[in-house]
């Protein structure tokens, strides 16, 4: 499924979209960066509550399809700036990772 | 070696003084009046891909609006109201004829994402916008053109020794979380251009990022060197201390000495070194309480040629996380 369809399905709030046509292949939930680095699959939707600048680097390094900040967490302005220069997609949602995963189940 | 490092740092410092703000800033700058609504600015930010903008009245700077303000306007349901009453009014600016070192000091002191650039000191006329990335990319361009000139001079003089390897080197500054990850990102982009297989590249990226963050969080500073050889990539991260008292314990997954603040950012899970080891084909770590820590990882870039044996339990690529 393309990212723009996922955004519509989950009602995500786009913070920065570098490419909304990227294919989303999997999902990962994690707030510990080393854990995410170790386990996230490429082209994943990444649910996290970490909105700081270093998260953007992890997303870029692991070819993440889109970082989704859950629970209403707002990104740091620097993180948005870095996402723009690095071409990383970021969206936000007021819902929890679990609620979003339930909505996505079986759809990808 | 220490002398070489000192020369490299001196060069960057010198360039920071030489490069003027007007050379590095983004221009033309998009400005809005105080009567513009948050939504109008947000739509323009989305279209033109920027995250903050000066607010001007008759050409004079009166405030600034960042993506943060837009987000809180969404929160407070005032997205269709004019920004005038809510904008930040005490705007710190930098004159265009200043060195970028002055702007860099302001960024460091106030943790701003961007600075409006004014025509001259005491002036309110905005001529551009400057971000930390603007400075960094201009600096990289300057270093690159010096390197090119140097190579050209050497080849003209006919005594150039063919470089046997392709080496990237980055200084790692302790506690500088704003620049953290940039070295790993640069390595990934470079190796991507060199045609390294994407799955192998992601393993190299994990190694670089974990090693880079370890040095930034725990060390007194150091450097990362990434060497692209014909059959492998060698990553060497050397720091100046304080050293790891018990390396065996540090290698245990889950062992961490990171403080509360670091852990709140999602670092310090105690998985860094084991992640590096898992992603590398060869791994070694040496640490002394006198001289610091040295981590070396080697990743074979064409494993089918059998040049570097892959250790068991490798493939970092997995399918975990797929929603059924």
């Amino acid at each position: 499924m393309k990212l723009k369809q996922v955004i519509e399905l989950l009602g995500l709030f786009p913070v920065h979209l570098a490419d909304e046509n990227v294919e989303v292949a999997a999902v990962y939930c994690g707030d510990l960066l080393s854990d995410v680095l170790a386990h996230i699959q490429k082209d994943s939707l990444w649910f996290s509550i970490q909105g700081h600048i270093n998260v953007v680097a992890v997303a870029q390094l692991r070819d993440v399809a889109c970082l989704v900040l859950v629970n209403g967490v707002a990104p740091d302005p620097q993180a948005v700036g870095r996402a723009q220069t690095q071409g990383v997609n970021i969206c936000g949602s007021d819902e929890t990772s679990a609620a979003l995963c339930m909505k996505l189940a079986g759809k990808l | 070696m220490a002398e070489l490092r000192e020369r490299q740092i001196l060069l960057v410092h010198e360039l920071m003084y030489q490069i003027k703000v007007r050379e590095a800033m983004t221009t033309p700058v998009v400005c809005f009046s105080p009567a513009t609504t948050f939504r109008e600015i947000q739509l323009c930010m989305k279209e033109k891909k920027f995250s903050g903008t000066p607010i001007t009245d008759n050409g004079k700077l009166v405030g600034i609006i960042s993506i943060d303000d837009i987000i809180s306007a969404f929160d407070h349901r005032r997205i269709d109201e004019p920004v005038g009453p809510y904008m930040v009014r005490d705007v710190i600016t930098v004159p265009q004829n200043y060195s970028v070192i002055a702007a860099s000091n302001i960024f460091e002191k106030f943790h701003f994402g961007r600075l409006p650039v004014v025509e001259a000191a005491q002036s309110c006329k905005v001529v551009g916008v400057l971000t930390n990335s603007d400075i960094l990319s201009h600096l990289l361009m300057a270093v690159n053109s010096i390197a090119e000139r140097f190579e050209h001079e050497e080849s003209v003089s006919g005594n150039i020794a063919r470089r046997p390897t392709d080496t990237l080197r980055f200084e790692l500054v302790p506690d500088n979380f704003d620049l953290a990850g940039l070295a790993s990102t640069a390595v990934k982009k470079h190796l991507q251009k060199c045609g390294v297989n994407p799955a192998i590249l992601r393993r190299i990226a994990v190694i670089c990022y974990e090693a880079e963050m370890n040095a930034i969080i725990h060390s007194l500073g150091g450097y990362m060197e990434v060497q692209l050889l014909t059959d492998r990539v060698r990553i060497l991260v050397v720091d100046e201390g304080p050293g790891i008292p018990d390396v065996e314990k540090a290698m245990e997954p889950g062992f961490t000495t990171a403080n509360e603040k670091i852990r709140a950012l999602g670092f310090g899970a105690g998985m860094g070194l084991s992640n590096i080891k898992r992603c590398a084909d060869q791994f070694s770590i040496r640490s002394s309480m006198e001289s610091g820590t040295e981590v070396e990882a080697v990743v074979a870039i064409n494993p089918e040629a059998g040049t570097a044996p892959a250790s068991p339990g490798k493939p970092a690529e997995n399918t975990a996380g797929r929603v059924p």
Side-chain angles (χ1 to χ4, degrees):
Chain A
M1 194 189 285
K2 288 198 188 308
L3 177 59
K4 60 180 173 191
Q5 295 166 296
V6 173
I7 290 173
E8 204 178 306
L9 177 70
L10 301 182
L12 304 178
F13 164 60
V15 176
H16 172 66
L17 288 181
D19 178 11
E20 59 181 3
N21 287 314
V22 67
E23 203 61 41
V24 176
V27 179
Y28 197 79
C29 308
D31 305 314
L32 288 174
L33 304 190
S34 285
D35 169 67
V36 175
L37 279 167
H39 297 114
I40 199 165
Q41 196 186 331
K42 86 187 244 303
D43 301 326
S44 284
L45 209 57
W46 173 17
F47 295 141
S48 183
I49 54 163
Q50 301 286 1
H52 56 84
I53 191 165
N54 302 109
V55 179
V56 179
V58 172
Q60 198 272 342
L61 292 170
R62 291 298 283 166
D63 298 326
V64 165
C66 182
L67 167 66
V68 180
L69 296 175
V70 297
N71 301 1
V73 168
D76 290 351
Q78 283 175 313
V80 180
R82 184 68 61 86
Q84 289 177 345
T85 53
Q86 303 289 349
V88 170
N89 294 321
I90 303 186
C91 287
S93 171
D94 287 332
E95 298 189 57
T96 65
S97 304
L100 294 171
C101 284
M102 296 284 277
K103 281 192 196 173
L104 261 181
K107 303 259 169 62
L108 286 184
Chain B
M1 181 59 102
E3 204 178 294
L4 179 67
R5 282 188 61 193
E6 215 172 297
R7 265 174 49 203
Q8 285 169 332
I9 294 169
L10 275 177
L11 170 69
V12 170
H13 258 247
E14 208 175 292
L15 286 171
M16 292 281 280
Y17 280 101
Q18 276 174 13
I19 299 170
K20 298 289 181 233
V21 168
R22 66 169 162 267
E23 296 165 44
M25 70 187 185
T26 301
T27 180
V29 57
V30 185
C31 293
F32 295 92
S33 82
T36 321
T37 64
F38 283 101
R39 190 179 297 278
E40 285 167 316
I41 295 181
Q42 184 245 334
L43 290 175
C44 188
M45 279 180 172
K46 195 177 159 196
E47 189 198 326
K48 303 223 162 92
K49 299 190 190 307
F50 58 86
S51 58
T53 180
I55 305 297
T56 54
D57 198 1
N58 288 326
K60 282 191 169 177
L61 180 69
V62 290
I64 193 162
I65 285 287
S66 73
I67 189 96
D68 242 8
D69 302 314
I70 303 278
I71 291 166
S72 78
F74 264 114
D75 270 354
H76 294 93
R77 299 179 196 284
R78 52 170 184 247
I79 194 71
D80 290 312
E81 290 181 35
V83 297
Y86 305 103
M87 67 191 180
V88 174
R89 285 176 178 278
D90 298 316
V91 187
I92 294 177
T93 59
V94 62
Q96 60 171 342
N97 59 339
Y98 277 29
S99 301
V100 290
I101 189 91
S104 175
N105 288 339
I106 298 174
F107 282 130
E108 201 171 321
K109 193 169 169 197
F110 297 101
H111 299 285
F112 291 152
R114 70 199 53 73
L115 273 176
V117 180
V118 288
E119 198 172 32
Q122 315 298 331
S123 158
C124 285
K125 188 179 172 200
V126 183
V127 291
V129 165
L130 186 74
T131 65
N132 245 331
S133 327
D134 290 334
I135 299 181
L136 199 65
S137 47
H138 202 85
L139 205 56
L140 287 174
M141 269 171 12
V143 170
N144 207 26
S145 74
I146 290 172
E148 273 173 10
R149 204 168 58 219
F150 197 66
E151 275 182 9
H152 177 72
E153 278 167 14
E154 277 196 325
S155 63
V156 167
S157 65
N159 61 357
I160 188 167
R162 197 178 64 82
R163 280 191 308 166
T165 56
D166 190 354
T167 304
L168 300 171
R169 191 192 154 97
F170 304 90
E171 298 299 321
L172 303 176
V173 185
D175 288 327
N176 192 333
F177 285 89
D178 293 347
L179 294 181
L182 281 185
S184 307
T185 307
V187 168
K188 188 183 175 203
K189 283 189 176 158
H190 179 73
L191 296 181
Q192 213 160 15
K193 271 190 208 148
C194 296
V196 174
N197 167 297
I200 292 176
L201 192 53
R202 278 191 289 278
R203 279 168 47 206
I204 295 171
V206 170
I207 294 172
C208 290
Y209 187 77
E210 292 284 17
E212 185 185 355
M213 291 317 303
N214 270 349
I216 287 167
I217 294 170
H218 300 289
S219 87
L220 304 167
Y223 66 90
M224 171 159 80
E225 210 170 78
V226 180
Q227 245 180 336
L228 173 61
L229 300 146
T230 47
D231 58 346
R232 62 192 188 277
V233 169
R234 176 176 171 268
I235 301 127
L236 178 70
V237 179
V238 178
D239 71 43
E240 294 159 6
I244 303 171
D246 185 343
V247 173
E248 214 169 296
K249 194 138 190 84
M251 287 299 302
E252 280 175 21
F255 177 80
T256 181
T257 56
N259 63 31
E260 206 52 50
K261 186 184 141 208
I262 302 286
R263 288 213 299 272
L265 291 173
F267 297 111
M271 290 167 62
L273 285 173
S274 53
N275 260 356
I276 296 176
K277 191 175 176 188
R278 193 177 49 84
C279 290
D281 290 313
Q282 286 166 32
F283 169 83
S284 73
I285 175 166
R286 285 172 292 278
S287 189
S288 115
M289 301 305 281
E290 282 83 41
S291 57
T293 304
E294 198 178 303
V295 170
E296 186 183 354
V298 175
V299 178
I301 51 176
N302 47 353
E304 66 279 5
T307 42
S311 55
K314 185 60 25 60
E317 289 309 302
N318 59 63
T319 50
R322 186 177 286 275
V323 174

